[in-house]
């Protein structure tokens, strides 16, 4: 079946993922309600999203919906089950998907570090200028102003006692 996903959302009572799609053969917009079963406030959102996306009944409809978007919908559902408001859940998702520039990544465990790296890779891909972009310039030369005095760092100075 050929269908194009238009919108995807979550329904809290009873819990379900709702997909609005367009049937390419008939050209009609349709709605598909996928009930969420065996999901609690302690469930893993990533695993639930993978299970729904790989479910044989819904697989053809969810091909165009990213796993990241499904995980986000399950996070909203879990926040609702914890009793959080929509704003609190959105703030939590924002904290999890952004990187604090002041955070020391050397102190993180391997799982958290991999999570931060994937966020950085995704941000890099999003901001990367490609050859096909209309504003792409091959070789950019930028002159930085030398108005203020350069600050010296302790690690890049040579001293006589080091040799």
């Amino acid at each position: 079946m050929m269908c194009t996903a238009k919108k995807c959302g979550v329904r809290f009572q009873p819990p379900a993922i709702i997909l609005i799609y367009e049937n390419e053969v008939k050209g009609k917009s349709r709605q598909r309600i996928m009930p969420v079963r065996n999901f609690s406030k302690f469930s893993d959102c990533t695993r639930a999203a993978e299970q729904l996306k790989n479910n044989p009944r819904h697989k053809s409809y969810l091909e165009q919906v990213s796993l990241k978007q499904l995980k986000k919908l399950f996070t909203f559902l879990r926040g609702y089950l914890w009793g959080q408001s929509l704003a609190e859940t959105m703030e939590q998702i924002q904290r999890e998907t952004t990187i604090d520039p002041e955070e020391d990544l050397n102190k993180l465990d391997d799982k958290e570090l991999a999570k931060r790296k994937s966020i950085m890779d995704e941000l890099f891909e999003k901001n990367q200028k490609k050859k096909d972009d209309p504003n792409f310039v091959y070789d950019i030369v930028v002159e930085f102003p030398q108005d203020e005095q350069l600050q010296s760092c302790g690690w890049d100075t040579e001293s006589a006692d080091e040799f």
Side-chain angles (χ1 to χ4, degrees), residues 5-9 18-21 65 69:
K6 296 294 183 186
K7 294 181 185 179
C8 195
I18 299 174
L19 177 70
I20 297 175
Y21 65 96
V65 180
Q69 185 177 6

Side-chain angles (χ1 to χ4, degrees), residues 6-142:
K6 296 294 183 186
K7 294 181 185 179
C8 195
V10 64
R11 181 178 69 188
F12 296 122
Q13 281 299 31
I17 301 294
I18 299 174
L19 177 70
I20 297 175
Y21 65 96
E22 186 175 298
N23 189 336
E24 291 181 1
V25 176
K26 297 179 182 176
K28 291 185 177 182
S29 291
R30 307 278 314 227
Q31 177 176 317
R32 183 166 183 89
I33 299 173
M34 296 165 273
V36 176
R37 296 183 178 94
N38 302 326
F39 188 80
S40 71
K41 59 185 176 181
F42 302 109
S43 297
D44 182 17
C45 295
T46 306
R47 187 171 176 190
E50 289 171 354
Q51 286 177 347
L52 183 67
K53 191 162 176 87
N54 294 327
N55 186 325
R57 296 185 75 186
H58 309 301
K59 192 172 190 170
S60 62
Y61 296 97
L62 294 174
E63 283 178 355
Q64 297 174 339
V65 180
S66 69
L67 194 61
K68 181 182 174 185
Q69 185 177 6
L70 285 174
K71 181 185 174 201
K72 191 174 182 179
L73 292 173
F74 276 104
T75 305
F76 279 116
L77 183 58
R78 187 175 65 186
Y80 171 79
L81 293 174
W82 274 105
Q84 293 179 334
S85 69
L86 205 54
E88 291 171 335
T89 307
M90 287 179 70
E91 184 180 317
Q92 176 189 353
I93 291 171
Q94 186 69 23
R95 277 192 312 251
E96 291 175 357
T97 57
T98 56
I99 296 177
D100 180 18
E102 300 299 320
E103 182 179 24
D104 188 3
L105 300 178
N106 291 322
K107 295 181 181 178
L108 297 176
D109 62 343
D110 290 341
K111 186 177 179 182
E112 285 296 315
L113 184 61
K115 192 175 179 183
R116 299 294 195 291
K117 283 184 176 182
S118 70
I119 293 170
M120 286 189 272
D121 288 342
E122 186 177 309
L123 187 62
F124 174 77
E125 290 292 327
K126 185 174 115 180
N127 293 330
Q128 182 182 14
K129 294 267 186 179
K130 297 180 177 76
K131 289 182 181 179
D132 301 336
D133 291 339
N135 296 333
F136 178 78
V137 178
Y138 177 69
D139 191 19
I140 299 176
V141 178
V142 178

